[in-house]
Amino acid sequence: MSNRLFDASVWEKAWKEDPKAMANKFKAMGMNPHTSFDHKAQVFNEEVFSSAGRDRSERIIGWMEGQGVDFNGLTVLDVGAASGGFTVPFIERGAKVTAVEPNVPLAELFLKNTAGFAPGQVELVHEAFENIDIAARGWLNAFDLVFVSMCPAVFDWESTEKVISCARQYCYISTSAGVQEHSLMNEVLPLLTGREVHAESSDMAYLTQLLYLKGYSYETIITRETKSKELSLEAAAAEVMEMLPLHHLDGGETTRKTVTDYLHTAYPQQQVVVRQGGRFGKVLIKLQDLNMYSRSAAEASGKSAPSVKH
């Protein structure tokens, strides 16, 4: 086994330079991650606060509570807070939240979703986390928990360290753990590329390996999350064409005809059920109490053990 596998600098360089890493994909496409979501903000907000969306956030928060995180009285920095899908349940559990969200439509929705909370419970910082001078802002080791869920603010080890440096007790990071699944794209891509879809990179793999090599204590879990929707042939074709740049494919007329012909042949009923999602990784980094959390020990010591929600 090569010792380079245990050389952190090798992994740092590989993550920064990997063209398949999510941040580099966005750069190659010329996408601004802070504005490219504008047209989807309202739909995203509705999904986040739907029954299924609230169940998802409860599962994630419940997992954290199962590792000893008690949100009552906790100070939280929610990086990439979007419209408040996690900020709201954090506050409902008694936390005080500072939220960072640069996207204008999402920030506006965030303010609406948190308007009913008391002054001082929540603050919105309408900036990109990457542009914030955390030392000047007084954020170094300033928050009990730093929470970063599927946010482009974490894209290499340097950005990871910046996030962690804001935390006193815990830092939660979630990111992609493999190829993004989209049932229709998985059908169409072999027609356009001549090869099957498979995982080519994983930000989660870089993150967990570097946390290990840097000596951090952490809990981690990999899950597979999916959802389904029904589209007309026209909407399905439009969605495929919109996603082609992520796979470094052009959307010319030849490609459009291939996609359209396939849809009409494969879906004569004129409706396409699309399943999308993928594997996602979640890491809870522990900066204090580095030993394994024990609920029974916490209860014996008189600490209130949080209840895990399902």
Side-chain angles (χ1 to χ4, degrees), residues 278-295:
R279 296 174 74 212
F280 301 95
K282 304 160 183 64
V283 177
L284 181 65
I285 305 160
K286 298 185 175 184
L287 304 173
Q288 299 177 17
D289 300 324
L290 304 183
N291 57 309
M292 182 182 294
Y293 177 74
S294 167
R295 182 182 300 277

Side-chain angles (χ1 to χ4, degrees), residues 166-183:
C166 296
R168 280 194 298 261
Q169 296 186 57
Y170 305 101
C171 181
Y172 170 96
I173 301 173
S174 67
T175 188
S176 171
V179 65
Q180 295 294 299
E181 298 175 21
H182 189 285
S183 60

Side-chain angles (χ1 to χ4, degrees), residues 60 181 189 192 208:
I60 292 171
E181 298 175 21
L189 284 174
L192 302 177
T208 51

Side-chain angles (χ1 to χ4, degrees), residues 45-61 84-90 92-93 113 117 309-310:
N45 180 64
E46 292 170 1
E47 290 180 353
V48 163
F49 285 97
S50 68
S51 176
R54 290 299 295 259
D55 285 347
R56 173 181 173 272
S57 63
E58 286 294 320
R59 289 197 303 271
I60 292 171
I61 295 171
F86 284 100
T87 289
V88 169
F90 290 161
E92 291 172 344
R93 282 168 164 79
N113 293 332
F117 294 113
K309 297 174 176 59
H310 300 282

Side-chain angles (χ1 to χ4, degrees), residues 139-195:
W139 283 4
L140 287 171
N141 305 116
F143 300 91
D144 297 316
L145 165 69
V146 175
F147 183 86
V148 190
S149 177
M150 302 302 297
C151 174
V154 172
F155 53 88
D156 60 12
W157 181 249
E158 184 178 352
S159 62
T160 303
E161 283 188 311
K162 182 178 179 180
V163 163
I164 295 173
S165 70
C166 296
R168 280 194 298 261
Q169 296 186 57
Y170 305 101
C171 181
Y172 170 96
I173 301 173
S174 67
T175 188
S176 171
V179 65
Q180 295 294 299
E181 298 175 21
H182 189 285
S183 60
L184 183 55
M185 288 301 295
N186 290 351
E187 295 172 29
V188 172
L189 284 174
L191 301 176
L192 302 177
T193 65
R195 61 180 184 274

